[in-house]
Amino acid sequence: MTRYKLIIITKEVALHYFQAEDKLYRLFLDYHKAYEWARPLLEKQIHYITEPLLYPYFIDSLEKDLSKIGFDKLPSEHAAYVSCLSDSSIYLEDRHIIFDHAGSAKEEWQVFDCLKKISPYFFAVNINKEAYGWLKPLKVYSVLS
């Protein structure tokens, strides 16, 4: 099973760290490996650069798109979805999504496509495989004077 942590990075930070994604990954890696006493400071930094997920448009749009690709919403107080086709699951927290993927590559890309529709600034982190990156590559335009 592959676990992804998906976060919406604020636009300003996303554009600033364009082609320096390893620094964003390092922040999430440091948080993952941090001692308890260091976590509050790292949480503040992560909170500052991320956007909240749990607003009505986000939930409604994601729920519709996920149902189209075979995910059902679990009856719980937190937003959680499970795949009818595999053992994959999606959990929505305040500022991140946990996607436990145990299905086909097609299912993985379909979930990522659903998320890309919501925000172009989704950043995915897989600590175990040391993989990270934007779900939708950023387009940065320069103006020459």
Side-chain angles (χ1 to χ4, degrees):
M1 182 175 293
T2 304
R3 174 169 277 203
Y4 295 99
K5 186 173 186 174
L6 301 141
I7 310 102
I8 297 178
I9 304 293
T10 61
K11 181 179 180 179
E12 296 78 20
V13 172
L15 295 176
H16 182 76
Y17 284 94
F18 174 67
Q19 295 185 334
E21 292 85 0
D22 58 319
K23 293 178 182 172
L24 289 174
Y25 170 71
R26 183 61 195 211
L27 174 63
F28 294 105
L29 180 64
D30 287 350
Y31 177 78
H32 180 74
K33 293 183 176 185
Y35 291 111
E36 277 303 311
W37 60 267
R39 282 188 176 232
L41 177 62
L42 294 169
E43 281 176 4
K44 285 181 184 178
Q45 292 173 351
I46 290 171
H47 190 270
Y48 180 77
I49 67 165
T50 59
E51 292 185 8
L53 301 176
L54 301 178
Y55 48 91
Y57 166 76
F58 179 89
I59 300 292
D60 293 342
S61 178
L62 185 61
E63 193 168 324
K64 287 177 194 171
D65 289 342
L66 288 176
S67 68
K68 290 177 187 174
I69 61 170
F71 277 81
D72 290 331
K73 188 175 192 309
L74 291 176
S76 68
E77 63 184 60
H78 297 291
Y81 305 87
V82 292
S83 174
C84 301
L85 308 172
S86 69
D87 291 332
S88 297
S89 57
I90 299 170
Y91 303 97
L92 276 63
E93 300 291 334
D94 181 40
R95 291 191 172 263
H96 67 271
I97 297 172
I98 299 296
F99 174 34
D100 289 327
H101 174 62
S104 67
K106 180 181 178 185
E107 181 185 64
E108 180 180 54
W109 283 108
Q110 287 175 327
V111 170
F112 289 162
D113 286 342
C114 291
L115 295 171
K116 283 192 274 190
K117 292 178 189 175
I118 295 168
S119 174
Y121 304 111
F122 257 110
F123 190 71
V125 176
N126 181 330
I127 299 290
N128 295 334
K129 291 186 178 180
E130 297 180 0
Y132 56 90
W134 303 107
L135 292 189
K136 185 175 189 176
L138 297 177
K139 294 180 183 176
V140 177
Y141 302 98
S142 64
V143 178
L144 300 175
S145 47

